[in-house]
Amino acid sequence: MATEGNNLSEYDKSSIPNAKEFRFGIVVSEWNDKVTESLFQGAFETLKEHGVLEKKIVRWNVPGSFELTYGCKKMQETYDMLDGIIAIGSVIQGETKHFDFVCQGVSNGITQLNVNGDTPVIFCVLTDNNMQQALDRSGGKHGNKGTEAAVAAIKMAQLRKEARF
């Protein structure tokens, strides 16, 4: 297990660029909202901790994780001044193949947005076997994947900025 013995919320804060000048979008799935709201809070608080002003963070909700790709695409088109977008979702294994199709679709969709677009889209979609695993990774014993996603968003925004020079 990749998170075994690791806390997703622990990182070297001094290695993160100051994000005061950056603007971010966050697209949040409403499905499994106990998990996704916690992930959002982790991302939101981390962005603010690194200097992002609250007014420079825009949030959109979508019904489920499969809709994250469309939400992120529309956010890219609507807010061309964003420096990064975080896609937040939670897919929990059930008794059918639905889990596989949703996970594959959203991961492929976000990959395509990164390949075809200029604004980095960060994958913050938990794909767990059960609700307890999701809770453990959204503020529980393994920390908060939202925090990790915000750190990745800041680093990618900085990379995007440096690549333009």
Side-chain angles (χ1 to χ4, degrees), residues 16-43:
I16 309 304
N18 185 307
K20 184 177 181 180
E21 67 185 70
F22 293 140
R23 295 166 299 239
F24 293 96
I26 305 175
V27 182
V28 182
S29 167
E30 294 172 335
W31 193 257
N32 293 327
D33 64 330
K34 183 175 183 179
V35 174
T36 60
E37 285 303 315
S38 184
L39 293 169
F40 169 77
Q41 284 303 316

PDB file of all heavy atoms in Angstrom, residues 16-43:
ATOM      1  N   ILE A  16       8.402  24.653  -0.827  1.00  0.00           N
ATOM      2  CA  ILE A  16       7.258  25.046  -1.646  1.00  0.00           C
ATOM      3  C   ILE A  16       7.383  26.521  -2.025  1.00  0.00           C
ATOM      4  O   ILE A  16       7.597  27.376  -1.161  1.00  0.00           O
ATOM      5  CB  ILE A  16       5.927  24.816  -0.885  1.00  0.00           C
ATOM      6  CG1 ILE A  16       5.854  23.401  -0.329  1.00  0.00           C
ATOM      7  CG2 ILE A  16       4.720  25.123  -1.768  1.00  0.00           C
ATOM      8  CD1 ILE A  16       6.029  22.304  -1.353  1.00  0.00           C
ATOM      9  N   PRO A  17       7.239  26.833  -3.316  1.00  0.00           N
ATOM     10  CA  PRO A  17       7.322  28.238  -3.723  1.00  0.00           C
ATOM     11  C   PRO A  17       6.204  29.065  -3.085  1.00  0.00           C
ATOM     12  O   PRO A  17       5.128  28.544  -2.787  1.00  0.00           O
ATOM     13  CB  PRO A  17       7.117  28.179  -5.246  1.00  0.00           C
ATOM     14  CG  PRO A  17       7.249  26.755  -5.637  1.00  0.00           C
ATOM     15  CD  PRO A  17       6.994  25.929  -4.430  1.00  0.00           C
ATOM     16  N   ASN A  18       6.456  30.353  -2.915  1.00  0.00           N
ATOM     17  CA  ASN A  18       5.406  31.244  -2.442  1.00  0.00           C
ATOM     18  C   ASN A  18       4.348  31.332  -3.537  1.00  0.00           C
ATOM     19  O   ASN A  18       4.647  31.608  -4.691  1.00  0.00           O
ATOM     20  CB  ASN A  18       5.971  32.632  -2.136  1.00  0.00           C
ATOM     21  CG  ASN A  18       4.934  33.546  -1.540  1.00  0.00           C
ATOM     22  OD1 ASN A  18       3.853  33.730  -2.086  1.00  0.00           O
ATOM     23  ND2 ASN A  18       5.264  34.134  -0.408  1.00  0.00           N
ATOM     24  N   ALA A  19       3.120  31.104  -3.178  1.00  0.00           N
ATOM     25  CA  ALA A  19       2.042  31.024  -4.160  1.00  0.00           C
ATOM     26  C   ALA A  19       1.154  32.261  -4.167  1.00  0.00           C
ATOM     27  O   ALA A  19       0.059  32.234  -4.725  1.00  0.00           O
ATOM     28  CB  ALA A  19       1.213  29.773  -3.886  1.00  0.00           C
ATOM     29  N   LYS A  20       1.623  33.349  -3.583  1.00  0.00           N
ATOM     30  CA  LYS A  20       0.809  34.558  -3.442  1.00  0.00           C
ATOM     31  C   LYS A  20       0.269  35.067  -4.774  1.00  0.00           C
ATOM     32  O   LYS A  20      -0.852  35.553  -4.848  1.00  0.00           O
ATOM     33  CB  LYS A  20       1.630  35.647  -2.750  1.00  0.00           C
ATOM     34  CG  LYS A  20       0.856  36.898  -2.466  1.00  0.00           C
ATOM     35  CD  LYS A  20       1.701  37.915  -1.727  1.00  0.00           C
ATOM     36  CE  LYS A  20       0.892  39.164  -1.432  1.00  0.00           C
ATOM     37  NZ  LYS A  20       1.683  40.158  -0.721  1.00  0.00           N
ATOM     38  N   GLU A  21       1.055  34.959  -5.820  1.00  0.00           N
ATOM     39  CA  GLU A  21       0.637  35.503  -7.120  1.00  0.00           C
ATOM     40  C   GLU A  21      -0.231  34.537  -7.927  1.00  0.00           C
ATOM     41  O   GLU A  21      -0.789  34.915  -8.955  1.00  0.00           O
ATOM     42  CB  GLU A  21       1.865  35.889  -7.937  1.00  0.00           C
ATOM     43  CG  GLU A  21       2.708  34.687  -8.347  1.00  0.00           C
ATOM     44  CD  GLU A  21       3.996  35.073  -9.052  1.00  0.00           C
ATOM     45  OE1 GLU A  21       4.880  35.620  -8.389  1.00  0.00           O
ATOM     46  OE2 GLU A  21       4.096  34.817 -10.268  1.00  0.00           O
ATOM     47  N   PHE A  22      -0.375  33.305  -7.470  1.00  0.00           N
ATOM     48  CA  PHE A  22      -1.096  32.303  -8.246  1.00  0.00           C
ATOM     49  C   PHE A  22      -2.596  32.313  -7.980  1.00  0.00           C
ATOM     50  O   PHE A  22      -3.058  32.739  -6.922  1.00  0.00           O
ATOM     51  CB  PHE A  22      -0.548  30.900  -7.945  1.00  0.00           C
ATOM     52  CG  PHE A  22       0.857  30.681  -8.417  1.00  0.00           C
ATOM     53  CD1 PHE A  22       1.750  29.975  -7.622  1.00  0.00           C
ATOM     54  CD2 PHE A  22       1.305  31.156  -9.631  1.00  0.00           C
ATOM     55  CE1 PHE A  22       3.052  29.748  -8.044  1.00  0.00           C
ATOM     56  CE2 PHE A  22       2.602  30.941 -10.062  1.00  0.00           C
ATOM     57  CZ  PHE A  22       3.480  30.234  -9.268  1.00  0.00           C
ATOM     58  N   ARG A  23      -3.338  31.785  -8.975  1.00  0.00           N
ATOM     59  CA  ARG A  23      -4.790  31.612  -8.881  1.00  0.00           C
ATOM     60  C   ARG A  23      -5.110  30.153  -9.189  1.00  0.00           C
ATOM     61  O   ARG A  23      -4.550  29.589 -10.141  1.00  0.00           O
ATOM     62  CB  ARG A  23      -5.481  32.516  -9.885  1.00  0.00           C
ATOM     63  CG  ARG A  23      -5.289  33.994  -9.602  1.00  0.00           C
ATOM     64  CD  ARG A  23      -5.701  34.815 -10.802  1.00  0.00           C
ATOM     65  NE  ARG A  23      -4.852  34.439 -11.935  1.00  0.00           N
ATOM     66  CZ  ARG A  23      -4.078  35.270 -12.609  1.00  0.00           C
ATOM     67  NH1 ARG A  23      -4.062  36.527 -12.328  1.00  0.00           N
ATOM     68  NH2 ARG A  23      -3.332  34.855 -13.602  1.00  0.00           N
ATOM     69  N   PHE A  24      -6.002  29.581  -8.400  1.00  0.00           N
ATOM     70  CA  PHE A  24      -6.321  28.162  -8.554  1.00  0.00           C
ATOM     71  C   PHE A  24      -7.823  27.928  -8.634  1.00  0.00           C
ATOM     72  O   PHE A  24      -8.608  28.661  -8.035  1.00  0.00           O
ATOM     73  CB  PHE A  24      -5.763  27.349  -7.374  1.00  0.00           C
ATOM     74  CG  PHE A  24      -4.266  27.309  -7.348  1.00  0.00           C
ATOM     75  CD1 PHE A  24      -3.556  28.202  -6.564  1.00  0.00           C
ATOM     76  CD2 PHE A  24      -3.569  26.396  -8.122  1.00  0.00           C
ATOM     77  CE1 PHE A  24      -2.170  28.178  -6.547  1.00  0.00           C
ATOM     78  CE2 PHE A  24      -2.184  26.373  -8.107  1.00  0.00           C
ATOM     79  CZ  PHE A  24      -1.481  27.266  -7.319  1.00  0.00           C
ATOM     80  N   GLY A  25      -8.167  26.889  -9.359  1.00  0.00           N
ATOM     81  CA  GLY A  25      -9.534  26.395  -9.389  1.00  0.00           C
ATOM     82  C   GLY A  25      -9.571  25.027  -8.734  1.00  0.00           C
ATOM     83  O   GLY A  25      -8.595  24.277  -8.795  1.00  0.00           O
ATOM     84  N   ILE A  26     -10.685  24.729  -8.103  1.00  0.00           N
ATOM     85  CA  ILE A  26     -10.888  23.409  -7.503  1.00  0.00           C
ATOM     86  C   ILE A  26     -12.263  22.921  -7.933  1.00  0.00           C
ATOM     87  O   ILE A  26     -13.268  23.598  -7.717  1.00  0.00           O
ATOM     88  CB  ILE A  26     -10.794  23.464  -5.962  1.00  0.00           C
ATOM     89  CG1 ILE A  26      -9.462  24.081  -5.508  1.00  0.00           C
ATOM     90  CG2 ILE A  26     -10.973  22.064  -5.382  1.00  0.00           C
ATOM     91  CD1 ILE A  26      -9.340  24.275  -3.995  1.00  0.00           C
ATOM     92  N   VAL A  27     -12.286  21.756  -8.563  1.00  0.00           N
ATOM     93  CA  VAL A  27     -13.539  21.130  -8.975  1.00  0.00           C
ATOM     94  C   VAL A  27     -13.766  19.946  -8.047  1.00  0.00           C
ATOM     95  O   VAL A  27     -12.907  19.075  -7.930  1.00  0.00           O
ATOM     96  CB  VAL A  27     -13.504  20.687 -10.459  1.00  0.00           C
ATOM     97  CG1 VAL A  27     -14.836  20.082 -10.862  1.00  0.00           C
ATOM     98  CG2 VAL A  27     -13.154  21.873 -11.361  1.00  0.00           C
ATOM     99  N   VAL A  28     -14.934  19.932  -7.386  1.00  0.00           N
ATOM    100  CA  VAL A  28     -15.205  18.966  -6.323  1.00  0.00           C
ATOM    101  C   VAL A  28     -16.422  18.116  -6.671  1.00  0.00           C
ATOM    102  O   VAL A  28     -17.499  18.650  -6.962  1.00  0.00           O
ATOM    103  CB  VAL A  28     -15.449  19.678  -4.974  1.00  0.00           C
ATOM    104  CG1 VAL A  28     -15.674  18.674  -3.856  1.00  0.00           C
ATOM    105  CG2 VAL A  28     -14.287  20.616  -4.638  1.00  0.00           C
ATOM    106  N   SER A  29     -16.250  16.806  -6.610  1.00  0.00           N
ATOM    107  CA  SER A  29     -17.361  15.873  -6.786  1.00  0.00           C
ATOM    108  C   SER A  29     -18.259  15.894  -5.555  1.00  0.00           C
ATOM    109  O   SER A  29     -17.779  15.862  -4.421  1.00  0.00           O
ATOM    110  CB  SER A  29     -16.819  14.456  -7.008  1.00  0.00           C
ATOM    111  OG  SER A  29     -17.854  13.510  -6.885  1.00  0.00           O
ATOM    112  N   GLU A  30     -19.560  15.928  -5.783  1.00  0.00           N
ATOM    113  CA  GLU A  30     -20.512  15.892  -4.678  1.00  0.00           C
ATOM    114  C   GLU A  30     -20.746  14.469  -4.162  1.00  0.00           C
ATOM    115  O   GLU A  30     -21.287  14.289  -3.077  1.00  0.00           O
ATOM    116  CB  GLU A  30     -21.843  16.502  -5.114  1.00  0.00           C
ATOM    117  CG  GLU A  30     -21.730  17.990  -5.423  1.00  0.00           C
ATOM    118  CD  GLU A  30     -22.986  18.571  -6.043  1.00  0.00           C
ATOM    119  OE1 GLU A  30     -23.766  17.815  -6.666  1.00  0.00           O
ATOM    120  OE2 GLU A  30     -23.179  19.791  -5.914  1.00  0.00           O
ATOM    121  N   TRP A  31     -20.362  13.456  -4.951  1.00  0.00           N
ATOM    122  CA  TRP A  31     -20.541  12.062  -4.541  1.00  0.00           C
ATOM    123  C   TRP A  31     -19.518  11.740  -3.453  1.00  0.00           C
ATOM    124  O   TRP A  31     -18.368  12.149  -3.566  1.00  0.00           O
ATOM    125  CB  TRP A  31     -20.361  11.141  -5.744  1.00  0.00           C
ATOM    126  CG  TRP A  31     -20.824   9.747  -5.487  1.00  0.00           C
ATOM    127  CD1 TRP A  31     -20.040   8.673  -5.236  1.00  0.00           C
ATOM    128  CD2 TRP A  31     -22.164   9.276  -5.458  1.00  0.00           C
ATOM    129  NE1 TRP A  31     -20.797   7.557  -5.045  1.00  0.00           N
ATOM    130  CE2 TRP A  31     -22.137   7.896  -5.180  1.00  0.00           C
ATOM    131  CE3 TRP A  31     -23.407   9.892  -5.645  1.00  0.00           C
ATOM    132  CZ2 TRP A  31     -23.274   7.118  -5.084  1.00  0.00           C
ATOM    133  CZ3 TRP A  31     -24.542   9.117  -5.553  1.00  0.00           C
ATOM    134  CH2 TRP A  31     -24.461   7.749  -5.275  1.00  0.00           C
ATOM    135  N   ASN A  32     -19.911  11.010  -2.433  1.00  0.00           N
ATOM    136  CA  ASN A  32     -19.060  10.733  -1.267  1.00  0.00           C
ATOM    137  C   ASN A  32     -18.585  12.039  -0.640  1.00  0.00           C
ATOM    138  O   ASN A  32     -17.403  12.235  -0.359  1.00  0.00           O
ATOM    139  CB  ASN A  32     -17.874   9.833  -1.632  1.00  0.00           C
ATOM    140  CG  ASN A  32     -18.304   8.442  -2.028  1.00  0.00           C
ATOM    141  OD1 ASN A  32     -19.288   7.919  -1.515  1.00  0.00           O
ATOM    142  ND2 ASN A  32     -17.575   7.835  -2.944  1.00  0.00           N
ATOM    143  N   ASP A  33     -19.548  12.942  -0.417  1.00  0.00           N
ATOM    144  CA  ASP A  33     -19.210  14.297   0.006  1.00  0.00           C
ATOM    145  C   ASP A  33     -18.509  14.381   1.360  1.00  0.00           C
ATOM    146  O   ASP A  33     -17.769  15.329   1.606  1.00  0.00           O
ATOM    147  CB  ASP A  33     -20.434  15.206  -0.027  1.00  0.00           C
ATOM    148  CG  ASP A  33     -21.517  14.804   0.959  1.00  0.00           C
ATOM    149  OD1 ASP A  33     -21.645  13.610   1.274  1.00  0.00           O
ATOM    150  OD2 ASP A  33     -22.249  15.701   1.415  1.00  0.00           O
ATOM    151  N   LYS A  34     -18.693  13.409   2.224  1.00  0.00           N
ATOM    152  CA  LYS A  34     -17.955  13.438   3.492  1.00  0.00           C
ATOM    153  C   LYS A  34     -16.448  13.389   3.212  1.00  0.00           C
ATOM    154  O   LYS A  34     -15.654  14.067   3.868  1.00  0.00           O
ATOM    155  CB  LYS A  34     -18.369  12.260   4.375  1.00  0.00           C
ATOM    156  CG  LYS A  34     -17.716  12.253   5.727  1.00  0.00           C
ATOM    157  CD  LYS A  34     -18.250  11.138   6.612  1.00  0.00           C
ATOM    158  CE  LYS A  34     -17.614  11.208   7.981  1.00  0.00           C
ATOM    159  NZ  LYS A  34     -18.110  10.169   8.872  1.00  0.00           N
ATOM    160  N   VAL A  35     -16.085  12.629   2.217  1.00  0.00           N
ATOM    161  CA  VAL A  35     -14.681  12.495   1.825  1.00  0.00           C
ATOM    162  C   VAL A  35     -14.233  13.708   1.012  1.00  0.00           C
ATOM    163  O   VAL A  35     -13.198  14.317   1.305  1.00  0.00           O
ATOM    164  CB  VAL A  35     -14.471  11.195   1.017  1.00  0.00           C
ATOM    165  CG1 VAL A  35     -13.053  11.103   0.478  1.00  0.00           C
ATOM    166  CG2 VAL A  35     -14.822   9.976   1.858  1.00  0.00           C
ATOM    167  N   THR A  36     -15.013  14.082  -0.001  1.00  0.00           N
ATOM    168  CA  THR A  36     -14.575  15.151  -0.900  1.00  0.00           C
ATOM    169  C   THR A  36     -14.538  16.515  -0.207  1.00  0.00           C
ATOM    170  O   THR A  36     -13.686  17.343  -0.527  1.00  0.00           O
ATOM    171  CB  THR A  36     -15.424  15.213  -2.177  1.00  0.00           C
ATOM    172  OG1 THR A  36     -16.796  15.448  -1.845  1.00  0.00           O
ATOM    173  CG2 THR A  36     -15.289  13.921  -2.983  1.00  0.00           C
ATOM    174  N   GLU A  37     -15.435  16.744   0.743  1.00  0.00           N
ATOM    175  CA  GLU A  37     -15.385  18.016   1.486  1.00  0.00           C
ATOM    176  C   GLU A  37     -14.117  18.106   2.325  1.00  0.00           C
ATOM    177  O   GLU A  37     -13.511  19.170   2.434  1.00  0.00           O
ATOM    178  CB  GLU A  37     -16.632  18.197   2.350  1.00  0.00           C
ATOM    179  CG  GLU A  37     -17.870  18.567   1.558  1.00  0.00           C
ATOM    180  CD  GLU A  37     -17.693  19.834   0.733  1.00  0.00           C
ATOM    181  OE1 GLU A  37     -17.159  20.843   1.240  1.00  0.00           O
ATOM    182  OE2 GLU A  37     -18.100  19.822  -0.443  1.00  0.00           O
ATOM    183  N   SER A  38     -13.727  16.997   2.910  1.00  0.00           N
ATOM    184  CA  SER A  38     -12.489  16.984   3.693  1.00  0.00           C
ATOM    185  C   SER A  38     -11.273  17.186   2.796  1.00  0.00           C
ATOM    186  O   SER A  38     -10.336  17.913   3.149  1.00  0.00           O
ATOM    187  CB  SER A  38     -12.380  15.678   4.474  1.00  0.00           C
ATOM    188  OG  SER A  38     -11.236  15.687   5.296  1.00  0.00           O
ATOM    189  N   LEU A  39     -11.276  16.559   1.629  1.00  0.00           N
ATOM    190  CA  LEU A  39     -10.191  16.759   0.668  1.00  0.00           C
ATOM    191  C   LEU A  39     -10.128  18.227   0.240  1.00  0.00           C
ATOM    192  O   LEU A  39      -9.042  18.820   0.148  1.00  0.00           O
ATOM    193  CB  LEU A  39     -10.378  15.862  -0.551  1.00  0.00           C
ATOM    194  CG  LEU A  39     -10.239  14.360  -0.318  1.00  0.00           C
ATOM    195  CD1 LEU A  39     -10.707  13.584  -1.541  1.00  0.00           C
ATOM    196  CD2 LEU A  39      -8.808  13.999   0.039  1.00  0.00           C
ATOM    197  N   PHE A  40     -11.304  18.798  -0.031  1.00  0.00           N
ATOM    198  CA  PHE A  40     -11.349  20.219  -0.402  1.00  0.00           C
ATOM    199  C   PHE A  40     -10.743  21.085   0.703  1.00  0.00           C
ATOM    200  O   PHE A  40      -9.941  21.978   0.431  1.00  0.00           O
ATOM    201  CB  PHE A  40     -12.783  20.670  -0.698  1.00  0.00           C
ATOM    202  CG  PHE A  40     -12.895  22.155  -0.821  1.00  0.00           C
ATOM    203  CD1 PHE A  40     -12.478  22.806  -1.975  1.00  0.00           C
ATOM    204  CD2 PHE A  40     -13.378  22.926   0.237  1.00  0.00           C
ATOM    205  CE1 PHE A  40     -12.550  24.192  -2.079  1.00  0.00           C
ATOM    206  CE2 PHE A  40     -13.443  24.312   0.143  1.00  0.00           C
ATOM    207  CZ  PHE A  40     -13.029  24.945  -1.014  1.00  0.00           C
ATOM    208  N   GLN A  41     -11.142  20.837   1.944  1.00  0.00           N
ATOM    209  CA  GLN A  41     -10.622  21.640   3.053  1.00  0.00           C
ATOM    210  C   GLN A  41      -9.103  21.519   3.152  1.00  0.00           C
ATOM    211  O   GLN A  41      -8.410  22.516   3.387  1.00  0.00           O
ATOM    212  CB  GLN A  41     -11.288  21.243   4.373  1.00  0.00           C
ATOM    213  CG  GLN A  41     -12.693  21.761   4.519  1.00  0.00           C
ATOM    214  CD  GLN A  41     -12.785  23.274   4.390  1.00  0.00           C
ATOM    215  OE1 GLN A  41     -11.988  24.020   4.948  1.00  0.00           O
ATOM    216  NE2 GLN A  41     -13.778  23.727   3.635  1.00  0.00           N
ATOM    217  N   GLY A  42      -8.577  20.310   2.976  1.00  0.00           N
ATOM    218  CA  GLY A  42      -7.128  20.124   3.003  1.00  0.00           C
ATOM    219  C   GLY A  42      -6.435  20.923   1.915  1.00  0.00           C
ATOM    220  O   GLY A  42      -5.420  21.590   2.157  1.00  0.00           O
ATOM    221  N   ALA A  43      -6.984  20.892   0.699  1.00  0.00           N
ATOM    222  CA  ALA A  43      -6.396  21.636  -0.420  1.00  0.00           C
ATOM    223  C   ALA A  43      -6.525  23.137  -0.199  1.00  0.00           C
ATOM    224  O   ALA A  43      -5.549  23.890  -0.352  1.00  0.00           O
ATOM    225  CB  ALA A  43      -7.074  21.228  -1.729  1.00  0.00           C
TER     226      ALA A  43
END
